[in-house]
Amino acid sequence: MPAPALLPAAFVAGLDRLAQWTYGTPGPVGPMLPTAGVEAKSPALGSAGAVVPTTLLAGPAL
């Protein structure tokens, strides 16, 4: 695997670990849901993907 393709993959894996460490399992799942909703043309998945990160970030304030 060439180095230019390896660096972004390592960066994304690091961000995934950071989100999982900070927010638990819903951390990395939340941003994946809107992407899956767009690919599947499903408004329900896109809406769930908007609600999960919002709930995670607003949780301490509530």
Side-chain angles (χ1 to χ4, degrees), residues 12-59:
V12 169
L15 284 178
D16 178 54
R17 287 292 174 186
L18 178 66
Q20 198 168 32
W21 177 64
T22 305
Y23 299 111
T25 303
V29 171
M32 286 189 293
L33 285 174
T35 305
V38 167
E39 292 295 322
K41 296 182 180 163
S42 172
L45 278 177
S47 298
V51 170
V52 169
T54 303
T55 306
L56 287 173
L57 294 175

